C-alpha cells in the first residue's frame, strides 16, 4: 500500500517499523532484505549488534556519506588509514555498552578502540600516563558558576584533582582511572555539558569572542552563533563522519583575539558602512569567510572573497563540511585536513562545490566595500576592563599555563556568583574572565583572586604564556612543556618588567596544540643529543603573529636543550628592549632583524645543538 493513501503519521511509523523488523528477521536468517520494504532504504546494509539493528547504508542514512567517501578511495585501489578502517568496521557513536563494560572490568581500550573512544571525549594517554583525559565541549567558552563547581567535583572525585584550560577556550579533566571514564562522561551530561565528538575526526569546540555580549568595541555578539553551531553539530549525524579534525571560530571584533585565522573555518565580523552599501549589499554587519587555517602546518586561514549575513553562517559551514566529508583524504592522515583539499583544488573550485551543496551562489564582495574591526588588545584577556554595560567590568585571571586546582575552581565560581552574574568565560589564551563585576566590587575581587594564589595583573610574563599538556600527559610530546614554561617565566620575571606583552608558546610536538608558530617566541619539543644522552629540548622560532600581525615564526635554532633556553631568551629580550622602536612588539622587532643577527645575539657564550 502507498503511505500516501490516507494513513496517519502514527500508522506510517508503525508500518515502517514493522517492515524494518521483517528486514532484520530476514537478515538474521541469511535472506536478502526487502528492497524498498519501508523499513530500510533500497540497497541498505543492516548491522546487528549490542546497540540493536542499525541502517548503515542507503541514501537516507547519515553515516552513508562517510562510507561512500571511503568507497571512492577503495574503488581506486587505495588503502584506508587505520583510523578510517576502524570507523568503517564499527560505529564509533554506538560503543557505549562496550565502554560501560570496560569500566566495570576496570580496563582501558585497546587497539583502534583507543581512537574510537575519543568520539566520546575520552583519550587513553598511555604511555605518558596510564589514565584517561576527558575533553569537554563548551561552545563560546561560556560556563555558569555551578557548572564549574560541578566539573571541579568530578575532577576531584574521579580524576587528578585539577582542571586544564585549553587553547580552544575549553576544559580538560586528566588522570581518570579506567573504571571512572564513563562516570565522568555521565557527570558532565548531568551538568548540561555534552562532549560527544570532542575528539577524533570531529569538529572541535566552537569558539567565539571571549567578551561577546559585553565588549564595548565589538561589532556583533558571536556567542549565540557559537552555540547555534554547537547544537547543529550535535544534531547532524553526518557531521561525525569527517576525514580529520576540524575547527570553527566566530570573531566578533572584540578586544580579545579569537584567533579565527588559525581555524579551518574562520568567520570574521566586518562592517559595510552606508557610503559603501548598495541594493545588493545593504549597510550592516557581515562575516568575512576565511578557510584553511592550520598554523601547525604554517598556514593561516585565507580570505575567500565571500561575505555572509549572520543568519547564513551555520548553513554555509554545513555545506563546507559536506564538501570536506566527500573529498577529504581518507588514506593519509598527514594530508587529511581541509587545507590540503584547498591546496589541491584552489579556492574557486572549492567555493563552487560549496555553492552546489547550498543550491545557490554565495555573495562575493571586494575588500574595499567593508571595514575590518579594530585590532585586538594584547592585554585584554588579563586585568580589569570596562564593559559596555554601565558600571560593570570584567576581570581576566592569569592561570599558570592554564591549570586550576579544584579548590581554586570552586572559589572562582563563588567569586563570579557573589560579585558578577554567575557566569564565566574561557579564552583561547588558556585563562578565564569573570564578567559583570560591579565597579564597587572590583578591588575586593582582585584581593580574593590573589588570596587563591592566582594573578589578575597583565604585567607578568605568565600573561602571555601558552603551553600544551606536554609529556607529563601526552604520548606525542617530547618535552615537559607546562613545567618548563613555568620555569622559564619565573626566570624571566626575575630579570625584566615588561611594558609590552610578549607571547611565549611551548608545544610538545609537531601537532602544535599550543600554536608555537604564532608566538613572539615559540618552542616545539624535541629530544636533543647531549654527550651520550638524549635530553628534553626545543626547536626555537621567533617572530610569529596573528590578527593584524599575521606571521609564521622563523626558525632560530632546530634543537636546544631546555637548560640552555632561559639565558637564550634573556639575551633576545634584552636585545629587543635595547633596540626596539618605541613600543614596537617583539615580533615586529624580530622580523626586521636578519635571522643570523638574532642567532648571534642569542648564542653569545652558549653552546647550541644542531
Amino acid at each position: 500500500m502507498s503511505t500516501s493513501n490516507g494513513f496517519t503519521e502514527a500508522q506510517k511509523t508503525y508500518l515502517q517499523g514493522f517492515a524494518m523488523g521483517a528486514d532484520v528477521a530476514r537478515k538474521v536468517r541469511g535472506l536478502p532484505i526487502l528492497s524498498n520494504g519501508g523499513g530500510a532504504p533500497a540497497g541498505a546494509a543492516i548491522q546487528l549488534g549490542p546497540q540493536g539493528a542499525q541502517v548503515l547504508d542507503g541514501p537516507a542514512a547519515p553515516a552513508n556519506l562517510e562510507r561512500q567517501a571511503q568507497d571512492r578511495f577503495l574503488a581506486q585501489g587505495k588503502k584506508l588509514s587505520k583510523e578510517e578502517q576502524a570507523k568503517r568496521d564499527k560505529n564509533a557513536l554506538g560503543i557505549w555498552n562496550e565502554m560501560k563494560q570496560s569500566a566495570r572490568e576496570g580496563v582501558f581500550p585497546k587497539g583502534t578502540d583507543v581512537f574510537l573512544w575519543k568520539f566520546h571525549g575520552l583519550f587513553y594517554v598511555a604511555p605518558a600516563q596510564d589514565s584517561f583525559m576527558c575533553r569537554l565541549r563548551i561552545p563560546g567558552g561560556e560556563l555558569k558558576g555551578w557548572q564549574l563547581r560541578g566539573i571541579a567535583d568530578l575532577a576531584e572525585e574521579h580524576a587528578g584533582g585539577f582542571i586544564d584550560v585549553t587553547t580552544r577556550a575549553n576544559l580538560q579533566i586528566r588522570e581518570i582511572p579506567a573504571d571512572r571514564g564513563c562516570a565522568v562522561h555521565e557527570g558532565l551530561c548531568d551538568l548540561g555539558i555534552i562532549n560527544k565528538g570532542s575528539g577524533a575526526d570531529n569538529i572541535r569546540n566552537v569558539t567565539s569572542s571571549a567578551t561577546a555580549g559585553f565588549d564595548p568595541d565589538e561589532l556583533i555578539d558571536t556567542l549565540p552563533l557559537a552555540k547555534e553551531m554547537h547544537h547543529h553539530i550535535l544534531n547532524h549525524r553526518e557531521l561525525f563522519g569527517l576525514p580529520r579534525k576540524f575547527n570553527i571560530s566566530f570573531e566578533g571584533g572584540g578586544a580579545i583575539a579569537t584567533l579565527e585565522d588559525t581555524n579551518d573555518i574562520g568567520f570574521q565580523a566586518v562592517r559595510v558602512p552606508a557610503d559603501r552599501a548598495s541594493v545588493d549589499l545593504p549597510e550592516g554587519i557581515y562575516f568575512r569567510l576565511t578557510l584553511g587555517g592550520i598554523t601547525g602546518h604554517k598556514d593561516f586561514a585565507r580570505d575567500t572573497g565571500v561575505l555572509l549575513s549572520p543568519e547564513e553562517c551555520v548553513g554555509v559551514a554545513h555545506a563546507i563540511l559536506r564538501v570536506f566529508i566527500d573529498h577529504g583524504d581518507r588514506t593519509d592522515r598527514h594530508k587529511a585536513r581541509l587545507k590540503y583539499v584547498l591546496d589541491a583544488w584552489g579556492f574557486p573550485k572549492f567555493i563552487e562545490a560549496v555553492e552546489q551543496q547550498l543550491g545557490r551562489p554565495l555573495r562575493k564582495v571586494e575588500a574595499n566595500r567593508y571595514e575590518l574591526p579594530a585590532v585586538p588588545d594584547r592585554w585584554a584577556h588579563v586585568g580589569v576592563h570596562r564593559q559596555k554595560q554601565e558600571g560593570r567590568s570584567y576581570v581576566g585571571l592569569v592561570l599558570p599555563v592554564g591549570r586550576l586546582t579544584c579548590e581554586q575552581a570552586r572559589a572562582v565560581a563563588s567569586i563570579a556568583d557573589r560579585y558578577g552574574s554567575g557566569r564565566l568565560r574561557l579564552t583561547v589564551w588558556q585563562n578565564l574572565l569573570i564578567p559583570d563585576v560591579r565597579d564597587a566590587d572590583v578591588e575586593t575581587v582582585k584581593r580574593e583572586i590573589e588570596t587563591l594564589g592566582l594573578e589578575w595583573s597583565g604585567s607578568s610574563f605568565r600573561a602571555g604564556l601558552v603551553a600544551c599538556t606536554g609529556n607529563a600527559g601526552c604520548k606525542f610530546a617530547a618535552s615537559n612543556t607546562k613545567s618548563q614554561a613555568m620555569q622559564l617565566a619565573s626566570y624571566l620575571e626575575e630579570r625584566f618588567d615588561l611594558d609590552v606583552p610578549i607571547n611565549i608558546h611551548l608545544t610538545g610536538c609537531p601537532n602544535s596544540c599550543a600554536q608555537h608558530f604564532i608566538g613572539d617566541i615559540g618552542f616545539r619539543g624535541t629530544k636533543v643529543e647531549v654527550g651520550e644522552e638524549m635530553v628534553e629540548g626545543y626547536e626555537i622560532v621567533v617572530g610569529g603573529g596573528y590578527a593584524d600581525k599575521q606571521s609564521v615564526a622563523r626558525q632560530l635554532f632546530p634543537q636546544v636543550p631546555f637548560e640552555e633556553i632561559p639565558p637564550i631568551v634573556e639575551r633576545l629580550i634584552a636585545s629587543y628592549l635595547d633596540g626596539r622602536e618605541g613600543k614596537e612588539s617583539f615580533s615586529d622587532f624580530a622580523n626586521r632583524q636578519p635571522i643570523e643577527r638574532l642567532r648571534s645575539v642569542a648564542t653569545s657564550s652558549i653552546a647550541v645543538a644542531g
Side-chain angles (χ1 to χ4, degrees):
M1 270 191 231
S2 168
T3 56
S4 63
N5 192 19
F7 289 111
T8 66
E9 288 302 316
Q11 289 170 329
K12 294 176 186 177
T13 300
Y14 174 82
L15 289 171
Q16 288 169 349
F18 181 84
M20 185 171 182
D23 285 340
V24 171
R26 293 176 67 82
K27 178 74 173 179
V28 170
R29 291 171 173 78
L31 299 173
I33 65 173
L34 301 174
S35 179
N36 289 325
I46 296 176
Q47 174 177 289
L48 302 177
Q51 292 77 41
Q54 302 176 63
V55 179
L56 297 183
D57 286 320
N64 188 54
L65 298 174
E66 177 182 43
R67 198 171 184 85
Q68 286 178 345
Q70 294 168 343
D71 286 344
R72 283 193 286 273
F73 285 98
L74 293 173
Q76 298 170 24
K78 297 181 179 180
K79 182 180 178 180
L80 299 177
S81 68
K82 67 177 182 178
E83 291 83 2
E84 286 296 321
Q85 190 62 51
K87 292 186 292 182
R88 188 176 179 86
D89 293 342
K90 185 185 293 188
N91 174 15
L93 297 178
I95 61 173
W96 183 249
N97 289 349
E98 296 177 44
M99 294 171 64
K100 290 286 284 185
Q101 183 60 35
S102 293
R104 285 190 287 268
E105 296 173 0
V107 297
F108 289 106
K110 298 178 181 178
T112 54
D113 280 350
V114 173
F115 169 73
L116 297 178
W117 284 42
K118 296 177 184 179
F119 277 74
H120 300 266
L122 288 173
F123 293 65
Y124 180 40
V125 296
Q129 292 175 340
D130 194 32
S131 63
F132 284 123
M133 176 272 283
C134 183
R135 180 184 291 149
L136 282 56
R137 291 183 79 100
I138 303 171
E142 179 164 86
L143 276 174
K144 302 300 190 294
W146 59 268
Q147 289 178 309
L148 183 57
R149 274 192 293 272
I151 294 167
D153 291 344
L154 290 173
E156 189 169 75
E157 182 179 358
H158 301 298
F162 60 90
I163 302 166
D164 282 345
V165 183
T166 78
T167 55
R168 290 207 64 77
N170 199 7
L171 295 177
Q172 293 178 353
I173 301 173
R174 290 187 167 270
E175 299 180 12
I176 303 169
D179 62 343
R180 302 295 181 89
C182 290
V184 171
H185 194 284
E186 291 166 349
L188 291 172
C189 290
D190 289 342
L191 293 170
I193 298 171
I194 309 302
N195 66 334
K196 182 183 295 184
S198 62
D201 297 341
N202 292 297
I203 306 160
R204 302 301 171 82
N205 193 48
V206 181
T207 61
S208 64
S209 300
T211 51
F214 54 85
D215 194 308
D217 297 320
E218 70 182 357
L219 298 180
I220 186 172
D221 180 357
T222 53
L223 183 61
L225 284 167
K227 290 186 174 183
E228 181 185 353
M229 189 75 244
H230 168 79
H231 289 291
H232 184 91
I233 294 162
L234 292 179
N235 287 286
H236 285 78
R237 171 62 181 85
E238 65 269 31
L239 299 186
F240 291 85
L242 276 60
R244 204 69 164 85
K245 71 176 184 179
F246 202 94
N247 295 322
I248 300 175
S249 181
F250 294 88
E251 166 59 61
I256 300 176
T258 310
L259 301 180
E260 84 291 343
D261 50 2
T262 67
N263 285 250
D264 295 279
I265 301 177
F267 295 103
Q268 182 190 33
V270 298
R271 183 194 303 278
V272 174
D275 61 347
R276 304 183 204 176
S278 61
V279 173
D280 61 333
L281 186 67
E283 176 186 4
I285 303 301
Y286 295 82
F287 281 93
R288 176 174 169 258
L289 176 65
T290 64
L291 296 175
I294 175 172
T295 54
H297 295 221
K298 300 185 178 182
D299 220 348
F300 286 97
R302 288 163 280 170
D303 185 21
T304 62
V306 171
L307 278 198
L308 303 170
S309 68
E311 297 75 21
E312 293 176 303
C313 289
V314 171
V316 170
H318 184 99
I320 292 167
L321 287 160
R322 283 292 304 272
V323 175
F324 181 51
I325 290 168
D326 289 345
H327 299 285
D329 196 317
R330 295 181 183 269
T331 65
D332 183 353
R333 300 286 286 178
H334 298 293
K335 301 291 185 182
R337 293 290 297 271
L338 177 65
K339 162 189 163 56
Y340 294 100
V341 179
L342 294 168
D343 287 350
W345 282 16
F347 273 53
K349 178 179 177 180
F350 187 87
I351 292 299
E352 182 180 351
V354 173
E355 291 173 328
Q356 290 174 355
Q357 276 288 336
L358 284 170
R360 62 178 174 82
L362 291 167
R363 183 188 300 107
K364 316 297 195 308
V365 178
E366 295 293 331
N368 60 9
R369 298 285 304 279
Y370 56 80
E371 298 172 346
L372 294 172
V375 300
D377 177 356
R378 297 180 68 185
W379 287 119
H381 65 294
V382 293
V384 179
H385 301 270
R386 303 287 301 182
Q387 295 183 189
K388 66 168 63 173
Q389 293 81 10
E390 186 175 354
R392 301 278 175 162
S393 296
Y394 72 86
V395 182
L397 280 66
V398 180
L399 305 182
V401 290
R403 181 156 290 179
L404 277 171
T405 67
C406 293
E407 182 180 358
Q408 288 172 329
R410 293 190 191 98
V412 169
S414 177
I415 293 171
D417 286 342
R418 287 181 289 123
Y419 302 111
S421 57
R423 59 177 176 162
L424 300 136
R425 292 285 177 84
L426 306 172
T427 86
V428 298
W429 301 102
Q430 290 189 312
N431 78 310
L432 61 80
L433 316 177
I434 302 175
D436 306 322
V437 176
R438 294 178 292 273
D439 288 348
D441 294 326
V442 166
E443 294 303 317
T444 302
V445 169
K446 288 180 181 178
R447 287 194 297 271
E448 293 204 15
I449 290 170
E450 292 168 354
T451 300
L452 299 176
L454 299 173
E455 300 178 51
W456 56 268
S457 171
S459 62
S460 168
F461 271 96
R462 287 173 173 80
L465 198 63
V466 175
C468 72
T469 300
N471 61 13
C474 176
K475 66 181 179 181
F476 300 113
S479 300
N480 190 344
T481 54
K482 284 192 182 293
S483 173
Q484 290 162 352
M486 292 300 295
Q487 293 176 49
L488 178 59
S490 296
Y491 179 94
L492 296 173
E493 285 172 344
E494 292 174 358
R495 291 160 173 79
F496 301 104
D497 185 13
L498 293 179
D499 58 353
V500 173
I502 295 180
N503 286 347
I504 299 176
H505 295 226
L506 290 86
T507 199
C509 74
N511 289 330
S512 192
C513 292
Q515 300 179 318
H516 66 297
F517 278 121
I518 67 168
D520 289 289
I521 306 174
F523 301 90
R524 179 186 62 82
T526 185
K527 294 299 184 184
V528 182
E529 186 175 357
V530 177
E532 296 182 357
E533 296 185 5
M534 298 299 290
V535 302
E536 293 184 9
Y538 292 87
E539 172 193 24
I540 304 177
V541 297
V542 294
Y546 55 89
D548 62 308
K549 300 286 188 180
Q550 276 189 8
S551 177
V552 174
R554 297 178 293 166
Q555 186 187 81
L556 190 65
F557 302 113
Q559 293 179 309
V560 181
F562 175 72
E563 66 179 21
E564 296 178 3
I565 283 177
I568 286 179
V569 178
E570 177 187 1
R571 290 169 183 270
L572 288 171
I573 292 176
S575 176
Y576 155 67
L577 293 175
D578 184 58
R580 65 181 177 173
E581 298 176 353
K583 291 295 183 72
E584 181 181 34
S585 71
F586 180 91
S587 179
D588 286 345
F589 167 81
N591 285 331
R592 65 179 177 84
Q593 309 295 321
I595 198 70
E596 293 78 12
R597 181 180 182 279
L598 293 176
R599 286 175 182 146
S600 176
V601 167
T603 57
S604 300
S605 74
I606 298 175
V608 178

